[in-house]
Amino acid sequence: MSWERSEFGERLCGASGIGELMEDLGMAIAAGGEKVRMLGGGQPAHIPEVDAVWRRRILEISRRPGELERMLGDYEGPAGNRGFRIALAGLFRREFGWDVGPENIAVTAGGQTAFFFLLNALAGRFADGRRKKVLLPIVPEYIGYADQSVGGEIFEGTRPRIERTGRHEFKYRVDFEKLGIGEEVAALCVSRPTNPTGNVLTDGEVARLAELASGSGVPLIIDNAYGAPFPNVIFTEVTPVWNENIILTLSLSKLGLPGTRTGIVVAREEVARSVAAMTSIVGLSNTNCGQVIVTPLLESGEILRLSNEVVQPFYRDKRRRALELVRESFDDAMNYRIHRSEGALFLWIWFEDLPVTSRRLYERLKARNVLVVPGHYFFYGLDDTPWPHRDQCLRVSYSMPEEVVRDGLRVIAEEAAMAYHEG
Ligand SMILES: Cc1ncc(COP(=O)(O)O)c(C=O)c1O
């Protein structure tokens, strides 16, 4: 932009990790997937049985008198469609016994937008000059939060404990000894399952975080973009939680509807109202299509069958194959570890003592038409204490067709081996 930019403009108009990632994704999709092995973005797979449900719903909507016209031609209220919110609250009550109603739910244009609203409403600069931050109990954390502040740094990250759980496996755990909730903390925030690592915080970790947060009078934000009850891309037995001190976000994207941009915030009533207020200021109205497509599935419970019997087994199988392909293409003698894969669509690969940075490895892979996400983007809000681990990880998506994942992993194995060799 040729004109002078405000602080907001400085922060949001330029380059960012998430911007680079989405550009890579758009470029790979535009290229038709022929040449580029796209293991970078969070694009969910096209699962034929799921796509068939969307096709069926669009036909049903277009046959029912007035429904298509209402979906396309009406402004939706800023909190979201009331029928959708009633159906969703009913599902939460039936499935989990949560005491929620439609007044606890606000719909946004994707989970990403929900975070833009929540993070900036809770943290940043206050009228009396104080600054508050969002505490991330485990960093690395989702790249999409990193650049969302409209003014100043709003994150305080905490390094996890690293447990080496197998010859080529590791797992991050919340380091409660390091986790201090000072006056400047406005909220705690975790994605569960975690993007980028595939980690799923245990019930014990979540209970302790919730207790710490409510003890300090701040909310715990849980980003459930991959969690239960939908899309349920989660491979461990954990209990979803919600109470008045928890702000839970969900999304229809990983169920297979990213194009509809439908995010959901479940929170105490005043928070849901605030989110609706921000939607009307920033976006006027809500996104209708995802809500209209999905409402009958919430009412009938079909969304649970799809999530539990189609989406979850699909990704479970993709993960199993991806791990097999890693074992086939990576030299056993190489110093690599994969984070224990408990959910989401990614393998998080740690190349310990890698002589080049993950950024450099990303560039070398890109030159060979393999797109991944370099891990350093996910390490933010940390102090300057040196931590080589931040430059040694890659996020690799396994949602693409098997031949793409196989080819991509083979090239990653070759380039990493060369990097170790040259180092
Ligand atoms: C952890 C996490 N949260 C939120 C989002 C935002 O998704 P959307 O805006 O498509 O709902 C994503 C997308 O990849 C994600 O991985």
Side-chain angles (χ1 to χ4, degrees):
M1 188 155 71
S2 42
W3 297 284
E4 219 182 346
R5 288 198 296 227
S6 67
E7 189 182 359
F8 178 98
E10 282 299 329
R11 294 193 67 89
L12 276 96
C13 299
S16 65
I18 194 74
E20 182 172 342
L21 188 157
M22 293 313 285
E23 250 168 52
D24 277 357
L25 181 62
M27 189 256 288
I29 288 173
E34 282 292 295
K35 209 164 131 235
V36 180
R37 271 73 50 105
M38 180 56 189
L39 308 180
Q43 169 71 35
H46 279 277
I47 307 174
E49 204 173 332
V50 175
D51 278 348
V53 173
W54 310 144
R55 188 168 290 275
R56 186 197 84 209
R57 283 293 302 133
I58 293 293
L59 289 174
E60 285 168 0
I61 291 163
S62 50
R63 282 192 197 120
R64 296 259 298 271
E67 195 163 0
L68 181 73
E69 290 74 8
R70 277 195 300 277
M71 180 177 90
L72 298 178
D74 287 357
Y75 279 120
E76 188 56 84
N81 181 278
R82 189 161 167 82
F84 174 81
R85 290 181 296 129
I86 289 173
L88 188 56
L91 184 85
F92 290 142
R93 281 200 304 274
R94 286 196 303 280
E95 279 301 295
F96 306 133
W98 295 344
D99 183 19
V100 287
E103 64 284 359
N104 298 107
I105 295 174
V107 178
T108 57
Q112 189 70 13
T113 305
F115 275 90
F116 182 72
F117 291 163
L118 291 168
L119 296 172
N120 284 298
L122 290 165
R125 196 173 50 241
F126 284 63
D128 60 6
R130 283 173 307 143
R131 295 201 64 91
K132 288 200 177 188
K133 290 191 174 178
V134 172
L135 179 64
L136 306 172
I138 287 191
V139 165
E141 184 52 273
Y142 174 48
I143 186 174
Y145 312 144
D147 294 296
Q148 287 203 315
S149 163
V150 298
E153 176 58 72
I154 53 164
F155 293 106
E156 189 175 312
T158 321
R159 284 195 206 179
R161 281 197 295 113
I162 296 182
E163 256 181 47
R164 290 168 166 79
T165 46
R167 171 148 170 63
H168 288 297
E169 193 195 70
F170 74 110
K171 180 170 165 68
Y172 295 126
R173 302 242 181 227
V174 180
D175 191 343
F176 284 98
E177 281 173 22
K178 285 213 201 100
L179 204 69
I181 306 192
E183 285 286 301
E184 75 295 353
V185 170
L188 276 66
C189 177
V190 291
S191 57
R192 185 194 199 219
T194 307
N195 175 357
T197 57
N199 195 13
V200 174
L201 296 190
T202 62
D203 286 349
E205 284 174 319
V206 171
R208 233 173 128 180
L209 290 176
E211 220 177 275
L212 280 171
S214 70
S216 303
V218 299
L220 169 63
I221 307 174
I222 304 179
D223 182 348
N224 197 36
Y226 302 86
F230 56 83
N232 203 23
V233 186
I234 183 162
F235 316 124
T236 54
E237 283 299 316
V238 290
T239 320
V241 285
W242 181 80
N243 62 44
E244 289 251 314
N245 290 316
I246 290 177
I247 302 176
L248 185 73
T249 66
L250 297 96
S251 163
L252 297 184
S253 293
K254 311 304 170 179
L255 188 65
L257 289 174
T260 69
R261 310 307 302 125
T262 315
I264 298 155
V265 176
V266 189
R268 57 167 82 165
E269 205 176 326
E270 97 208 20
V271 174
R273 269 203 308 272
S274 306
V275 170
M278 289 185 271
T279 290
S280 31
I281 290 171
V282 175
L284 204 58
S285 159
N286 235 303
T287 50
N288 297 3
C289 297
Q291 299 183 76
V292 174
I293 291 170
V294 155
T295 299
L297 313 189
L298 295 171
E299 287 163 348
S300 67
E302 188 180 352
I303 199 160
L304 300 178
R305 187 195 64 77
L306 265 189
S307 301
N308 302 341
E309 296 174 23
V310 181
V311 177
Q312 200 246 41
F314 177 89
Y315 285 110
R316 189 185 280 274
D317 196 51
K318 294 271 271 181
R319 170 196 67 155
R320 181 188 57 75
R321 271 306 284 150
L323 289 170
E324 276 171 14
L325 291 168
V326 165
R327 280 192 291 275
E328 282 167 25
S329 28
F330 284 53
D331 186 344
D332 188 53
M334 200 201 295
N335 206 359
Y336 78 90
R337 283 175 191 276
I338 312 271
H339 191 284
R340 185 183 290 171
S341 161
E342 299 174 314
L345 323 174
F346 316 104
L347 296 184
W348 178 246
I349 311 179
W350 174 21
F351 295 103
E352 210 170 344
D353 303 323
L354 190 71
V356 299
T357 61
S358 55
R359 169 92 218 174
R360 181 72 197 111
L361 187 56
Y362 157 81
E363 282 160 3
R364 289 168 64 150
L365 292 168
K366 192 169 176 176
R368 292 187 63 187
N369 287 317
V370 173
L371 293 179
V372 298
V373 186
H376 66 279
Y377 282 129
F378 301 87
F379 293 88
Y380 53 93
L382 295 170
D383 61 27
D384 294 334
T385 321
W387 189 24
H389 182 74
R390 320 162 57 134
D391 291 307
Q392 297 175 341
C393 301
L394 290 184
R395 193 193 77 177
V396 176
S397 162
Y398 54 74
S399 66
M400 293 291 142
E402 184 170 325
E403 58 281 10
V404 176
V405 178
R406 178 191 296 111
D407 254 26
L409 285 170
R410 179 182 48 76
V411 175
I412 294 169
E414 285 170 13
E415 283 297 325
M418 268 191 273
Y420 275 119
H421 187 69
E422 290 159 12

